[in-house]
Amino acid sequence: MKIKVLLADDQAILSDGIASVLSSCPELEVVGMAKDGFEAVELVKKTKPDVVLMDIRMPNMNGVIATQEIKRGYPDVKVIILTTFDDSDYILGAINNGACGYLLKDTSAAALIDAIKNAYKGDTILPAKIARRIADAARMVTSDREIRLKRAFGFSDRETEIALMIYEGFTNKQIAAALKLTDGTARNYISAIYIKMDCDGRVSAIEKMRDTIGR
């Protein structure tokens, strides 16, 4: 069975080029092309794609909001951001709204095809350059927050970094990818954080951190 892919980009020439690239792979099928975020959401309803390649800057509804809408109604659909913009605000906005990956348009054809296949299997798609951006953004928290967490819960530097990423809404996989950890190592750190906080999971941990570092 082929992986169904929906393209969302306001530049038709780019969509056509991407569609041509994807058509070279017998495992993929392009089921639709949207020219803005609103149309992408509507086409997801009609075509039921497995993976959406989503641009960021589009008229009517941008890619971040469209991703949020798609994931709200169709949580199993994988959304990969494919854009020219590597600004950390865009990256974090997309990831925190449900995108499973973020690629730049200078990605090679082979890498793009592999990314779609891997996203379909449940992987997080974050090239090294993007992962560094996320890690840098995660570190751009005030030292006051770090100090408060360390004092309150006795975290190490790495635990503090991961705790703040949890607080900002990163998933376990995204934390592992951004900090270049194995999934198992990331889980071990997160478990240690929960133990030190005397919490039974992510929701209660975030609530305790919110009380500690301020809303």
Side-chain angles (χ1 to χ4, degrees):
M1 187 173 66
K2 293 187 176 185
I3 299 171
K4 296 187 293 183
V5 183
L6 174 68
L7 309 180
D9 197 307
D10 62 326
Q11 298 184 56
I13 191 169
L14 290 179
S15 289
D16 290 342
I18 294 168
S20 178
V21 166
L22 300 187
S23 67
S24 69
C25 177
E27 298 169 66
L28 306 180
E29 177 188 4
V30 176
V31 296
M33 293 190 289
K35 62 182 180 294
D36 58 40
F38 179 80
E39 187 174 357
V41 174
E42 293 303 307
L43 281 177
V44 166
K45 297 175 184 178
K46 295 177 182 178
T47 63
K48 303 295 191 294
D50 300 302
V51 178
V52 178
L53 290 182
M54 181 78 73
D55 193 14
I56 285 283
R57 287 188 181 176
M58 295 183 291
N60 301 320
M61 181 188 290
N62 68 37
V64 173
I65 300 302
T67 296
Q68 183 182 45
E69 290 298 312
I70 289 169
K71 295 299 291 185
R72 181 181 293 131
Y74 303 88
D76 292 335
V77 174
K78 311 298 184 183
V79 180
I80 301 174
I81 301 299
L82 182 63
T83 184
T84 56
F85 304 102
D86 64 353
D87 182 273
S88 60
D89 287 341
Y90 284 131
I91 298 168
L92 291 173
I95 297 297
N96 288 337
N97 277 292
C100 70
Y102 199 107
L103 294 173
L104 298 179
K105 287 180 178 176
D106 60 3
T107 300
S108 69
L112 178 59
I113 289 171
D114 285 344
I116 292 170
K117 293 178 181 178
N118 291 335
Y120 177 70
K121 291 186 291 187
D123 292 346
T124 298
I125 313 302
L126 290 173
K129 180 179 180 181
I130 300 301
R132 283 195 299 271
R133 287 279 189 174
I134 292 177
D136 289 345
R139 294 187 187 101
M140 288 178 62
V141 294
T142 63
S143 59
D144 182 57
R145 283 184 170 188
E146 295 175 358
I147 291 168
R148 288 186 187 186
L149 285 179
K150 286 180 179 179
R151 286 178 177 172
F153 305 111
F155 291 155
S156 67
D157 289 344
R158 179 62 101 184
E159 287 168 346
T160 302
E161 184 176 28
I162 292 173
L164 286 166
M165 293 180 79
I166 292 170
Y167 181 75
E168 295 296 335
F170 288 87
T171 66
N172 292 9
K173 278 185 173 293
Q174 290 161 3
I175 290 170
L179 300 181
K180 297 182 180 179
L181 304 173
T182 65
D183 287 348
T185 299
R187 284 196 300 270
N188 289 340
Y189 274 117
I190 292 166
S191 294
I193 288 167
Y194 292 163
I195 290 170
K196 288 185 177 182
M197 296 184 72
D198 192 25
C199 293
D200 58 5
R202 182 173 293 259
V203 173
S204 56
I206 290 173
E207 187 62 31
K208 274 196 174 181
M209 281 189 273
R210 188 176 290 125
D211 292 338
T212 301
I213 64 181
R215 296 179 183 270

